Amino acid sequence: MRSQANPRLMLMILSAVFAFLYIPISVLFALSFNEGGLPTAWTGFSTKWYGELFANQEIMGAALNTLIVAVVSTILATILGTLLAIGVELRRRKGRFLETIIFAPMIIPDIVLAIALLSFFSLLNVTMGLHTVIVSHVVFNLAFVCSVVRARLKTFDWSIVEASADLGASTPMTLWRVVLPVMLPAVIAGSLLAFTLSVDEFIIAFFTAGAGRASITLPMQIFAMIRFGVTPEINALATIVMTLSVIALALSQRLNRGGLPGQ
Amino acid sequence: MTDRKSFYLMTPALAWLTGLMVIPCLLILALAFFRRGTYGGIEYTFTLENIGLVFDPLYASIFLKSASIAGLSALIAVIVGYAAAYAIAAAPAKRQPILLFFAVLPFWSNYLVRTYAWIVLLNREGLIASIVHSLGYEGELPRMLYTESAVVIGLVYNYLPFVILACYAPLSRLNPEIAEASRDLGGSGWTTFRRVTLPMTAPGIATGFVFVFVLSIGNFVTPALLGGGQFQMIGNLVYAQFLTANDWPFGAALSMFLIAIMMGLLTLQTFATERASGARQEDT
């Protein structure tokens, strides 16, 4: 970009920032394979903490709950978000109000949405559990799916839709056989992103899961573990959670080619 | 015709957002004007007490504290993030996407895990302490975890990728010829940066600052984990009203205040950006 930028200074800045970003994560990664489990001393390579992790019924239960929440909310959000994206791009008039409603779930502070949903559910006397976490996660997930799909639709050639209609296809048929195949990479990218967000989401789940252990999710379990006595298993858990997010995100990025949302 | 089809396509999602975002948020807005029941719960009589309580001197110190922590975090994140974005934008064009990808990657991993990593580093028996001791230092180290600085570090760490992203966008669009022109006219490197590059990329800086500030001031996880529960942010206060103190109307009023801060800052930012771009158009 700029020729006057001092290359050595730039390299120093980049090294420092990437060290700051990646050292803490790498420490957890290394620690999860430390026999002793403590950061004070390296006592040898071991995968025993992973064994302990998978033997821990509480953690496995929470992991299963998270999987249920993430899968169901991602499916719902993908359907709703994709339809919304196509609908918005199809419209000739762009309304500022509409844009605000679609954009809001991405910028509203989690805590505000969390307490709003908690009050809403309790006022309606809805029993809270995994189902309330699922429907709440769909709120922000559909907005993210919509934004990824819309980015792809900006370069979509709408004349093939007209061609399809001229050839006698009905609207649902055109959507299914013409629009969706072109959109598919973006739809999958969006759903992978939604899945990652849902797996990692803590605050909204914390407020809308209701009382009791039955509906505890993985992030809620991690929060409890950090707060009330850290056990070395958490390093193994952190490593797995982090690796999964990175894989999902790298896949999403590859499919989408356009880059991460916001980019 | 197209508009009707588009309406059908949008309806399910818009219904979902209306039912589970717009209405609950309006409910919170309404809740802020009701009275708290004697035994928790809500009494449906109109009152302005909760709004008044938000501005009570009792809570002023918490607001000031959380505003100063959030402001400091946002400031540090913007300085470091802008430098990083500048360095990425100065790299060969081929390498920029991959650098940006790795700068943003941590942002999409688990927030709790990223915060927990700092407990491991800053703990009294943590990594930093053991490194310092292994280097031969025998004395007692100052407390690092459960301090205000730990909270600031945690917030900067968690939101830095966002700032890098926000600052990179305008930096990468910058036309190099403008900086060149400034230098041809005799501006030094620093003058060019201060008078040309910085003003033209200010919208990215503003976006980064506003988001870090708002997300920090409403945060309750980082103060709870890295501050050891000694520091209350507005987020912790909201949390307490709903989960322990059982004063929902006051909690609702607090979260409305949070939204008001965010909207105020975003409006200010939009206004400033529009003025800046307007001024630029007049210049040409």
Side-chain angles (χ1 to χ4, degrees):
Chain A
M1 171 189 64
R2 257 146 286 114
S3 46
Q4 95 272 21
N6 178 343
R8 191 180 282 171
L9 179 67
M10 293 298 120
L11 190 67
M12 265 169 56
I13 292 173
L14 282 181
S15 317
V17 170
F18 277 100
F20 175 65
L21 285 175
Y22 282 93
I23 285 176
I25 300 176
S26 316
V27 166
L28 287 190
F29 193 83
L31 211 53
S32 73
F33 293 105
N34 187 4
E35 166 98 64
L38 293 172
T40 33
W42 179 261
T43 50
F45 180 88
S46 159
T47 53
K48 83 170 191 201
W49 297 114
Y50 287 87
E52 304 249 324
L53 181 68
F54 287 108
N56 186 326
Q57 289 302 319
E58 279 192 358
I59 297 177
M60 286 300 114
L64 182 66
N65 281 345
T66 289
L67 198 65
I68 295 170
V69 168
V71 168
V72 181
S73 76
T74 300
I75 293 172
L76 286 170
T78 305
I79 298 168
L80 294 175
T82 305
L83 292 180
L84 178 64
I86 299 172
V88 174
E89 290 300 312
L90 214 58
R91 256 167 79 98
R92 274 169 302 219
R93 281 173 292 124
K94 300 273 181 265
R96 194 160 186 172
F97 181 69
L98 185 66
E99 296 293 330
T100 313
I101 296 260
I102 299 173
F103 194 53
M106 296 196 278
I107 61 158
I108 191 166
D110 295 347
I111 182 124
V112 175
L113 191 56
I115 60 156
L117 285 162
L118 170 67
S119 320
F120 182 64
F121 291 139
S122 12
L123 206 76
L124 294 181
N125 279 322
V126 178
T127 317
M128 286 184 269
L130 282 188
H131 55 282
T132 38
V133 179
I134 291 171
V135 298
S136 307
H137 274 194
V138 172
V139 172
F140 60 84
N141 271 345
L142 85 83
F144 278 95
V145 171
C146 176
S147 89
V148 174
V149 175
R150 274 182 81 181
R152 173 61 68 93
L153 278 173
K154 295 267 187 247
T155 56
F156 183 74
D157 180 7
W158 290 99
S159 64
I160 64 171
V161 173
E162 271 163 46
S164 163
D166 289 346
L167 291 168
S170 63
T171 306
M173 177 79 124
T174 305
L175 280 180
W176 184 249
R177 302 283 296 270
V178 179
V179 182
L180 193 65
V182 180
M183 303 301 311
L184 203 58
V187 172
I188 297 175
S191 64
L192 278 169
L193 182 66
F195 184 81
T196 318
L197 289 171
S198 184
V199 166
D200 289 337
E201 203 287 324
F202 166 62
I203 296 169
I204 292 170
F206 188 67
F207 277 85
T208 57
R213 276 215 54 94
S215 52
I216 214 167
T217 65
L218 208 50
M220 288 161 76
Q221 174 77 28
I222 295 176
F223 185 71
M225 283 168 81
I226 299 173
R227 261 191 118 171
F228 310 111
V230 174
T231 56
E233 290 141 286
I234 198 176
N235 302 319
L237 182 58
T239 304
I240 294 176
V241 168
M242 199 109 68
T243 312
L244 286 181
S245 312
V246 168
I247 292 172
L249 198 72
L251 267 177
S252 166
Q253 165 98 348
R254 182 147 202 107
L255 283 165
N256 200 25
R257 275 172 276 162
L260 301 170
Q263 222 165 294
Chain B
M1 192 55 210
T2 341
D3 276 4
R4 188 195 281 170
K5 276 184 208 159
S6 125
F7 177 76
Y8 289 139
L9 290 167
M10 294 191 304
T11 302
L14 291 182
W16 198 285
L17 292 180
T18 309
L20 288 154
M21 181 185 70
V22 179
I23 293 176
C25 287
L26 290 176
L27 178 70
I28 283 286
L29 181 65
L31 216 54
F33 295 98
F34 287 131
R35 211 179 284 275
R36 177 198 180 182
T38 324
Y39 306 102
I42 301 138
E43 206 176 283
Y44 293 96
T45 42
F46 179 84
T47 178
L48 285 172
E49 268 172 27
N50 304 303
I51 312 294
L53 203 54
V54 169
F55 298 99
D56 193 283
L58 189 67
Y59 295 104
S61 66
I62 294 181
F63 284 172
L64 284 177
K65 186 97 204 155
S66 40
S68 75
I69 291 181
L72 185 63
S73 307
L75 187 69
I76 297 173
V78 160
I79 293 169
V80 178
Y82 189 86
Y86 191 95
I88 292 175
K94 219 169 45 205
R95 258 186 248 153
Q96 289 183 23
I98 191 84
L99 284 173
L100 198 62
F101 177 73
F102 280 105
V104 178
L105 193 58
F107 194 59
W108 296 98
S109 71
N110 195 299
Y111 186 93
L112 293 167
V113 167
R114 278 180 285 152
T115 307
Y116 163 67
W118 282 97
I119 297 184
V120 171
L121 291 176
L122 299 176
N123 201 336
R124 197 170 281 282
E125 282 102 41
L127 193 74
I128 293 177
S130 54
I131 289 176
V132 172
H133 286 307
S134 73
L135 291 175
Y137 182 77
E138 295 292 330
E140 188 80 348
L141 283 172
R143 181 194 186 84
M144 290 181 290
L145 190 59
Y146 306 137
T147 59
E148 221 172 286
S149 318
V151 176
V152 172
I153 291 175
L155 292 169
V156 170
Y157 182 69
N158 278 308
Y159 297 131
L160 184 63
F162 182 83
V163 180
I164 297 179
L165 206 55
C167 293
Y168 174 79
L171 276 167
S172 67
R173 277 196 301 266
L174 212 58
N175 186 349
E177 283 168 20
I178 297 176
E180 244 165 67
S182 159
R183 263 169 288 130
D184 290 347
L185 291 167
S188 68
W190 173 243
T191 311
T192 303
F193 176 75
R194 197 168 51 86
R195 305 274 307 262
V196 179
T197 311
L198 204 56
M200 290 187 80
T201 51
I205 299 175
T207 307
F209 188 91
V210 168
F211 272 87
V212 179
F213 185 83
V214 171
L215 290 171
S216 300
I217 207 168
N219 202 307
F220 77 87
V221 175
T222 306
L225 296 181
L226 297 180
Q230 304 173 51
F231 305 100
Q232 287 232 334
M233 305 282 271
I234 300 183
N236 301 81
L237 211 53
V238 175
Y239 170 97
Q241 302 316 313
F242 275 83
L243 295 185
T244 52
N246 222 355
D247 188 349
W248 289 22
F250 180 47
L254 283 169
S255 64
M256 281 305 120
F257 183 62
L258 214 54
I259 291 273
I261 295 176
M262 184 178 86
M263 302 249 264
L265 285 174
L266 285 178
T267 312
L268 210 66
Q269 180 212 343
T270 316
F271 180 70
T273 310
E274 268 165 19
R275 253 194 64 179
S277 68
R280 211 175 303 150
Q281 269 157 18
E282 274 164 35
D283 286 347
T284 47

